[in-house]
Amino acid sequence: MKPVSLLLAVALGTATVVSAGPAVIECWFVEDAGGGRLSKKPSALLLRQSSESPPPRPDLDPERYLKVHDPAGTLLAAFRRYPRDAPAPRCEMSHYVPLPASAIWVSGLTPEQSCPRALDGRWLMVSMSSPVLSLSSLLRPQSEPQPEPALITVATAVLTVLTHTPAPRVRIGQDALLDLSFAYTPPTPKAATSLAPGPPPFGLEWRRQHLGKGHLMLAATPGLSGPMPAAREGAVAFAGWDDDEPLGPWTGNGTFWLPAVQPFQEGTYLATVHLPYLQGQTTLELAVQKPPKVTLTPAPLTWAAPGEAPPELLCLVSHFYPSEGLEVEWELWGGPEGRFQKAEGQRWLSALSHHSDGSVSLSAHLQPPPVTTGQHGARYACRVHHPSLPALGRSAEVTLQVAGLSGPSLEDGVGLFLSAFLLLGLINMLGWAGESAYLATSKDSVEKKTQ
């Protein structure tokens, strides 16, 4: 390929990547309406624009139509890689007030309780969630909307906390890795130069909420000294900045690792990044799973005479988690109609039995009705559906043999012949061995008598 063609291909590929994902995120602006009520008003975030001027939105208040300026690029990059077929993220926007963190272990970030003047002004918090990502971003809007042709307010993304694994699924006993990244841009040049060069100290907090209970799993304050709460359950976090530019913006990593996950560790995990007077938080839903094993007895054959019911079929569904969402279906393949149909007969499920690893087992039972000669060779199948399995589920089957309609096949004859041949050979070998031993013993006796 010629250099010009190569450069053109690279440029086109880059343009394709940049243009992926939504350009505008529709949100709801949520605020207190008094009397314990909340009001919701439409708003929107313009992530990028295809022309020199933003598209007009006469349906929106200019203060709720925000053009995002993202110096760190984290927020915009998250949506450049957003799949085209993924559902639009749920987005809410609300007012935010900078305050010092309430946790004692992170109090070293804010030695002065009064908020610095550099953080004065209007602040907004944006929260988004979808199957692809979960994030929150603190935006600082300009004081006045930009004038015509499109009234819009430019807002700078100051602190963004993001995960690309909002709903991780982990098998029992495997390690869980909960992805987290964040980015910080000093809100004003004065705020950047008032601190020492390089990224500021920060606090990282991971909490778990499950069944109404909350636990601090891990806390870290890179760049600060002082007593810290002990990590729970062997949790580890990769807490640190990715770069050390003197004035920012900076990106960081707070990925959380939890070894050998057990069912009690599933739930909602809240990741919070603390900066002086600013906090960003996002949530992840950790689900613990274990796919079931499926066995069917009697197997591989079950026998019945015409007009009689086959033996009861037992389908053992073992060592799965969670117990919710399990479905057992009985199917009949073949038979008089020569196709698939739901199996008839009485069916029931046993109670759950619990295992030491947190998984459970149960058995499904089917008593088929009396068989006919036309059902010879039909197959009964036990099919299990569970959240940990693919859409088709997992199955085990048994073949129905009707007495009087089946004789020995060619394969059966060959098998019997080979078995008889091997048995005869074994008998001959044992006979030869016994005869040899007898002759040796007799020879020894004769020699002893002649001495």
Side-chain angles (χ1 to χ4, degrees):
M1 182 181 291
K2 295 181 179 180
V4 175
S5 302
L6 179 61
L7 291 175
L8 179 60
V10 172
L12 290 175
T14 305
T16 302
V17 173
V18 171
S19 63
V24 178
I25 305 295
E26 302 293 334
C27 300
W28 289 103
F29 192 91
V30 181
E31 57 184 343
D32 186 6
R37 296 179 297 108
L38 295 176
S39 68
K40 289 187 175 182
K41 300 176 182 178
S43 58
L45 296 177
L46 178 63
L47 302 181
R48 64 179 187 275
Q49 60 191 58
S50 56
S51 60
E52 294 184 0
S53 60
R57 290 292 299 268
D59 59 315
L60 297 177
D61 185 318
E63 291 189 351
R64 299 196 302 273
Y65 184 26
L66 304 179
K67 179 181 178 181
V68 177
H69 173 55
D70 185 18
T74 300
L75 180 60
L76 301 184
F79 285 98
R80 279 200 296 268
R81 57 186 288 189
Y82 201 85
R84 296 180 184 275
D85 57 348
R90 296 184 298 273
C91 177
E92 287 191 355
M93 192 184 309
S94 59
H95 293 292
Y96 178 82
V97 178
L99 291 172
S102 58
I104 297 177
W105 58 268
V106 80
S107 60
L109 293 174
T110 54
E112 298 180 1
Q113 291 298 306
S114 60
C115 185
R117 298 299 300 272
L119 300 181
D120 286 350
R122 182 169 169 243
W123 287 83
L124 298 174
M125 172 179 281
V126 175
S127 300
M128 301 186 205
S129 61
S130 78
V132 178
L133 56 78
S134 176
L135 67 84
S136 69
S137 187
L138 297 182
L139 305 181
R140 192 171 193 187
Q142 291 182 353
S143 56
E144 296 292 337
Q146 287 187 343
E148 300 282 357
L151 285 173
I152 191 169
T153 300
V154 177
T156 300
V158 175
L159 174 62
T160 300
V161 180
L162 164 71
T163 179
H164 288 286
T165 57
R169 298 173 180 267
V170 182
R171 289 188 61 166
I172 291 179
Q174 292 185 345
D175 298 347
L177 194 66
L178 308 187
D179 158 70
L180 184 74
S181 58
F182 51 92
Y184 173 62
T185 299
T188 62
K190 181 179 180 182
T193 56
S194 63
L195 301 174
F202 70 96
L204 175 66
E205 176 182 349
W206 279 92
R207 286 185 172 272
R208 180 177 69 226
Q209 291 184 345
H210 187 52
L211 299 177
K213 297 181 179 180
H215 304 284
L216 176 63
M217 298 296 298
L218 181 143
T221 53
L224 292 178
S225 59
M228 296 295 300
R232 298 167 60 102
E233 302 168 12
V236 176
F238 306 94
W241 294 106
D242 298 330
D243 42 40
D244 56 357
E245 293 293 328
L247 300 179
W250 303 282
T251 59
N253 184 7
T255 299
F256 181 78
W257 178 71
L258 195 61
V261 170
Q262 300 300 315
F264 75 90
Q265 293 172 303
E266 67 181 356
T268 302
Y269 283 73
L270 293 87
T272 306
V273 175
H274 299 270
L275 287 169
Y277 308 99
L278 302 175
Q279 297 85 35
Q281 184 182 87
T282 192
T283 60
L284 303 87
E285 294 290 338
L286 174 63
V288 179
Q289 295 183 338
K290 188 174 184 179
K293 297 179 181 179
V294 182
T295 55
L296 182 58
T297 57
L301 301 174
T302 183
W303 293 82
E308 296 182 358
E312 175 188 313
L313 301 180
L314 185 149
C315 181
L316 179 60
V317 186
S318 60
H319 294 86
F320 63 93
Y321 186 86
S323 59
E324 298 82 8
L326 182 79
E327 296 181 5
V328 180
E329 298 176 349
W330 290 96
E331 303 169 350
L332 180 62
W333 293 82
E337 300 181 3
R339 60 181 176 82
F340 159 77
Q341 57 184 316
K342 295 291 185 181
E344 298 180 354
Q346 296 180 353
R347 63 193 67 191
W348 63 95
L349 297 175
S350 71
L352 289 173
S353 58
H354 297 263
H355 305 288
S356 59
D357 65 350
S359 64
V360 295
S361 298
L362 60 76
S363 57
H365 302 257
L366 174 69
Q367 179 56 68
V371 302
T372 64
T373 56
Q375 291 178 310
H376 177 69
R379 292 170 291 130
Y380 279 98
C382 168
R383 186 171 300 278
V384 174
H385 297 277
H386 188 258
S388 63
L389 295 175
L392 293 178
R394 181 171 292 174
S395 65
E397 62 181 41
V398 60
T399 301
L400 174 63
Q401 297 286 331
V402 179
L405 296 180
S406 60
S409 62
L410 177 61
E411 290 82 0
D412 296 333
V414 173
L416 290 173
F417 173 77
L418 292 176
S419 299
F421 182 79
L422 292 175
L423 181 60
L424 179 60
L426 179 61
I427 293 174
N428 289 334
M429 289 179 62
L430 292 176
W432 294 335
E435 184 178 353
S436 300
Y438 174 76
L439 292 175
T441 304
S442 300
K443 183 178 180 180
D444 291 343
S445 299
V446 171
E447 291 177 353
K448 288 180 180 180
K449 288 181 179 180
T450 57
Q451 290 178 353

